[in-house]
Amino acid sequence: MFLARNPQLNSNGELHHLLSTEGLPREILTQILDTAASFTGVTQREVKKVPLLRGKAIFNLFFEASTRTRTTFEIAAKRLSADVINLAINVSSQSKGESVLDTVANLSAMQADMFIVRHSESGAPHLIARHVSPEIHVINAGDGRHAHPTQGLLDMYTIRHYKKDFTKLVVAIVGDVLHSRVARSQIHALTTLGVPEVRVIGPKTLLPSHVDKLGVHVYHDISKGLKDVDVVMTLRLQNERMQGSFLPSPQEFFKLYGLNAEKLALAKPDAIVLHPGPMNRGVEIDSTVADGRQSVILPQVTFGIAIRMAVMSILAGN
Ligand code: CP
């Protein structure tokens, strides 16, 4: 039987690009989490630097807005002693009609070692990965509604940090799963890492049809979906990817699906709450929860630095 090669792996089965959590074996996900754990010591030192990527040129290509991902990739690359170049897309030759592939070809001619790509079009990082020369690595920093693998991985790191054992957890993902690249990356990572029960909770209009084929349990009633869960992952309404009306109003969404203290009380008392950001308070999450004792939303951001250091250092070594 012919099995298509995973475009993220080299001929030795090692990670060469990071494009998606889908199809990555558990060993590689665990390698990333363990490597990130080894970097948390570096990030707590007075001199937060190691020389692993000294002399490497890493290009941040963000064709779509970002606060957390772009900044933490830059911090992570600098902590690995790489040279980081942030291409300012709005003043680059993209604005004169240059194609993404021509931009990348020109940056490759400047001896780039790694591209970190965010794009509103699903598949853009895959396209770049197919066209760069074999020694260059590509990391997907979020493409359309398809994938956001480093976000999914930092979420796994956060869950493992607080809950230790994936194989004993019930995890709920609440909100706009339909338009969410984060949810897809989370679901693939959670199921690969052995979480026995992953639930998605939302109105029919915001859940992909056949989402159950991904191995998740579907709930439209949040009071049933949150019952006794260990982890709640909230998602914002991704209005920028919605064409047409999916909801009566944000107020109605908050009433039915917004995570407030009353709804969170249905989860286990020691349940943790994650959110990838940016948050819309009063829409998908109430401030009492976002800032409450069960929230691990800001630790997620900090762990994102170690995860991105881990991914870049693993790629550079393969
Ligand atoms: N979580 C996330 O991708 O946030 P940014 O859009 O700010 O990068």
Side-chain angles (χ1 to χ4, degrees):
M1 187 173 63
F2 173 76
L3 289 175
R5 195 175 68 78
N6 186 326
Q8 308 184 80
L9 305 181
N10 65 20
S11 54
N12 296 324
E14 299 162 329
L15 199 65
H16 185 73
H17 303 296
L18 179 65
L19 305 174
S20 166
T21 54
E22 185 177 4
L24 287 186
R26 187 187 296 203
E27 295 70 37
I28 287 186
L29 298 184
T30 305
Q31 178 195 15
I32 295 169
L33 301 185
D34 291 346
T35 308
S38 75
F39 282 131
T40 53
V42 175
T43 63
Q44 281 153 13
R45 283 189 213 154
E46 199 176 318
V47 180
K48 301 179 181 63
K49 265 192 189 292
V50 286
L52 286 171
L53 265 63
R54 191 160 55 198
K56 301 284 185 195
I58 299 186
F59 284 74
N60 256 338
L61 306 183
F62 278 65
F63 298 92
E64 199 190 65
S66 169
T67 296
R68 284 146 287 268
T69 312
R70 198 198 63 74
T71 312
T72 52
F73 262 117
E74 181 172 352
I75 295 169
K78 286 180 171 167
R79 289 193 180 165
L80 293 167
S81 308
D83 296 320
V84 186
I85 301 94
N86 291 307
L87 192 71
I89 300 295
N90 54 347
V91 290
S92 75
S93 291
Q94 286 277 309
S95 60
K96 299 177 192 164
E98 186 171 69
S99 74
V100 171
L101 288 181
D102 279 332
T103 299
V104 166
N106 280 270
L107 299 176
S108 298
M110 299 174 202
Q111 293 166 336
D113 293 292
M114 207 174 281
F115 291 114
I116 297 159
V117 182
R118 170 168 289 192
H119 205 288
S120 57
E121 292 293 326
S122 297
H126 291 66
L127 180 74
I128 293 170
R130 280 202 300 278
H131 283 83
V132 291
S133 52
E135 69 280 4
I136 295 179
H137 305 278
V138 177
I139 301 176
N140 181 0
D143 63 326
R145 59 162 90 172
H146 171 242
H148 191 351
T150 56
Q151 179 68 48
L153 286 162
L154 75 88
D155 295 337
M156 297 310 110
Y157 187 95
T158 306
I159 293 172
R160 193 175 78 163
H161 177 84
Y162 289 100
K163 296 288 168 193
K164 313 298 178 209
D165 185 356
F166 287 111
T167 67
K168 293 188 166 60
L169 298 179
V170 181
V171 177
I173 303 172
V174 189
D176 181 6
V177 177
L178 180 65
H179 301 97
S180 175
R181 55 195 177 205
V182 172
R184 278 170 189 72
S185 291
Q186 291 169 335
I187 290 168
H188 291 303
L190 288 165
T191 51
T192 303
L193 288 166
V195 172
E197 189 171 343
V198 181
R199 303 176 182 177
V200 294
I201 307 171
K204 271 198 180 96
T205 50
L206 291 179
L207 297 182
S209 48
H210 311 301
V211 67
D212 54 315
K213 301 272 186 304
L214 297 176
V216 300
H217 301 258
V218 177
Y219 289 84
H220 302 300
D221 179 344
I222 193 167
S223 60
K224 291 188 178 137
L226 286 182
K227 188 108 187 58
D228 295 331
V229 301
D230 299 283
V231 178
V232 188
M233 305 168 97
T234 45
L235 300 170
R236 83 186 160 87
L237 296 175
Q238 286 130 104
N239 293 306
E240 73 276 21
R241 291 184 210 120
M242 290 186 194
Q243 280 155 355
S245 180
F246 287 78
L247 296 165
S249 68
Q251 293 77 13
E252 184 72 6
F253 180 80
F254 182 65
K255 203 168 110 193
L256 292 174
Y257 294 100
L259 190 65
N260 60 13
E262 191 188 343
K263 294 190 189 99
L264 181 58
L266 297 162
K268 287 192 182 153
D270 63 347
I272 53 171
V273 176
L274 289 80
H275 192 304
M279 268 191 298
N280 290 310
R281 292 168 186 260
V283 181
E284 74 274 7
I285 192 163
D286 190 65
S287 283
T288 54
V289 174
D291 305 325
R293 70 169 176 88
Q294 288 164 273
S295 168
V296 295
I297 294 169
L298 292 177
Q300 278 177 271
V301 178
T302 309
F303 294 143
I305 298 172
I307 280 290
R308 289 172 175 129
M309 288 174 78
V311 170
M312 287 190 280
S313 64
I314 290 169
L315 292 183
N318 291 337

